[in-house]
Amino acid sequence: VVMGTDIAYYQYLLRPIMDTTQAHLNQHHGLFYAVGPANREAMWDLYHNIKDGCYNQLTDENEQPWTGMTSMLLYELSVGPWIPEDTTRTDSDDVTPEEIVPIAAIMHATKKGFYDSLIGDSDHIATAEDEENQ
């Protein structure tokens, strides 16, 4: 299951996202990604709901963490000026980013170690310090 999302301040969307994902996630070899802005509190809430468990208002019960491994990977997306495809460019052209956008990718695998090979040296796994510095 792969999901691109900007849940922003819409906390009420977390439950439908989680329920839909769990309904479609293969429990034997499933992999789930949710990608969106890292500076949104709701992205961090979704991450903690999956990783640490959460209260479910619909059932009035505390849910356990999802089985498997959950990580949040942080990236900086450089956004620069639009360059049309028909423009001739050389590698020496200097394109300066206009903005850096923090991006988070929540990654959950139903089996521990399933996605270890997917995380590389350029990936930054989020820490409590990263969350505090939002």
Side-chain angles (χ1 to χ4, degrees), residues 37-94:
N39 57 350
R40 302 289 195 203
E41 185 176 335
M43 281 298 286
W44 288 93
D45 289 343
L46 179 60
Y47 166 68
H48 285 294
N49 288 354
I50 294 169
K51 182 175 174 46
D52 305 325
C54 63
Y55 174 73
N56 184 335
Q57 291 179 331
L58 298 175
T59 62
D60 192 28
E61 296 176 351
N62 287 318
E63 294 182 353
Q64 296 296 314
W66 289 13
T67 303
M69 298 289 292
T70 306
S71 295
M72 180 184 280
L73 307 175
L74 301 177
Y75 303 96
E76 291 183 341
L77 176 66
S78 297
V79 180
W82 175 255
I83 299 173
E85 287 184 35
D86 60 351
T87 302
T88 305
R89 290 190 54 216
T90 64
D91 289 339
S92 63
D93 289 343
D94 184 24

Side-chain angles (χ1 to χ4, degrees), residues 31-34 47 69-73 105-109 115-116 118-119:
L31 191 59
F32 165 66
Y33 289 98
Y47 166 68
M69 298 289 292
T70 306
S71 295
M72 180 184 280
L73 307 175
I106 298 171
M107 187 165 61
H108 175 80
Y115 64 70
D116 289 342
L118 300 176
I119 299 175

Side-chain angles (χ1 to χ4, degrees), residues 13-35:
L13 290 178
L14 296 182
R15 174 54 43 199
I17 288 171
M18 291 173 60
D19 290 345
T20 302
T21 300
Q22 284 191 308
H24 294 282
L25 192 62
N26 184 313
Q27 293 304 313
H28 300 291
H29 56 274
L31 191 59
F32 165 66
Y33 289 98
V35 180

